[in-house]
Amino acid sequence: MSATLSQHVDNWYALFHVHLVRLALRWGYGDEESRDLVQQFFLDLLQKNLEPATIQNPKAFLTSAFSRRLIDHYRTARHRKKQEELAPSAGYEPSVLESLVQVQANEELMAAIRAAYSRLPARCRKVIQLKYYEGLTTEQIAARTGLHARTVYNNLYEAIKALRQELHKTHPRLKFAAVFSILPLL
């Protein structure tokens, strides 16, 4: 930063800062925010490698550069606002552990899970028991029950689908993984 640039920027600030504040006010910025934007604009000018001798019309140069700064500031603020609007819509999703604690404390939910599980066909209940609580593979379940591997897979799919649908009606925010961890408690 040369002394010449610093002197020019000081002179431009004295001559044009009111003009730039009014420009920001016309753009819809508040009084204090407009003053802050102008001051930051001049501070940024000091850090650039400008050749003051090449600027023949300082007012036009500053007005144009500051207008671009206001556009960038507006775009950034708009983008930030969109991000903030999107963040809450995603909402908070509890972890499986939090869901498990909540589920165990909620007797009404326990009753709903018991009812949904008991309404499953016996074959589906058996396949769920063998798969998720005894840790058998689809082929091992098929060998133990005498069913075809594809039938075991279909029964698992239908049982999970039925449980998920029924529980989603009454408890839509429930993490389904938590249900499997409490089924043995039923």
Side-chain angles (χ1 to χ4, degrees):
M1 176 173 69
S2 69
T4 310
L5 177 60
S6 177
Q7 291 170 351
H8 277 78
V9 170
D10 287 344
N11 188 34
W12 292 340
Y13 182 81
L15 293 172
F16 304 117
H17 82 279
V18 172
H19 167 72
L20 297 178
V21 167
R22 287 185 185 145
L23 179 65
L25 289 170
R26 280 195 305 259
W27 278 65
Y29 291 99
D31 187 47
E32 192 169 322
E33 187 177 18
S34 297
R35 292 179 194 283
D36 288 345
L37 287 169
V38 169
Q39 286 185 357
Q40 188 60 49
F41 172 72
F42 278 103
L43 288 173
D44 291 345
L45 278 180
L46 286 172
Q47 296 185 3
K48 293 186 178 197
N49 290 330
L50 291 176
E51 281 297 323
T54 61
I55 300 172
Q56 295 176 4
N57 186 346
K59 184 175 183 178
F61 170 79
L62 293 172
T63 302
S64 176
F66 187 64
S67 293
R68 286 191 299 274
R69 170 69 59 93
L70 292 174
I71 291 169
D72 291 344
H73 187 268
Y74 171 76
R75 287 179 180 160
T76 302
R78 188 176 62 183
H79 178 71
R80 192 177 308 120
K81 184 178 179 183
K82 279 185 183 179
Q83 294 293 18
E84 289 171 0
E85 288 174 358
L86 292 177
S89 67
Y92 169 75
E93 279 197 43
S95 68
V96 172
L97 180 61
E98 290 172 326
S99 293
L100 179 60
V101 169
Q102 180 183 5
V103 166
Q104 288 176 337
N106 190 338
E107 287 301 318
E108 176 186 322
L109 181 57
M110 293 292 282
I113 293 171
R114 268 190 219 101
Y117 186 70
S118 67
R119 280 194 285 277
L120 291 175
R123 189 168 25 179
C124 290
R125 286 195 311 265
K126 181 69 173 172
V127 169
I128 285 177
Q129 176 68 32
L130 294 172
K131 176 75 174 175
Y132 293 102
Y133 304 111
E134 294 185 25
L136 301 178
T137 65
T138 304
E139 292 77 25
Q140 291 170 331
I141 296 170
R144 185 182 279 188
T145 61
L147 300 170
H148 290 297
R150 185 66 190 170
T151 305
V152 170
Y153 177 81
N154 288 342
N155 282 316
L156 278 171
Y157 173 80
E158 290 302 321
I160 291 169
K161 179 180 168 186
L163 284 172
R164 192 176 268 146
Q165 285 175 346
E166 188 152 339
L167 293 173
H168 184 73
K169 291 175 192 173
T170 57
H171 298 85
R173 293 194 59 184
L174 176 68
K175 288 248 187 188
F176 196 70
V179 172
F180 283 112
S181 60
I182 63 166
L183 278 177
L185 302 174
L186 304 175

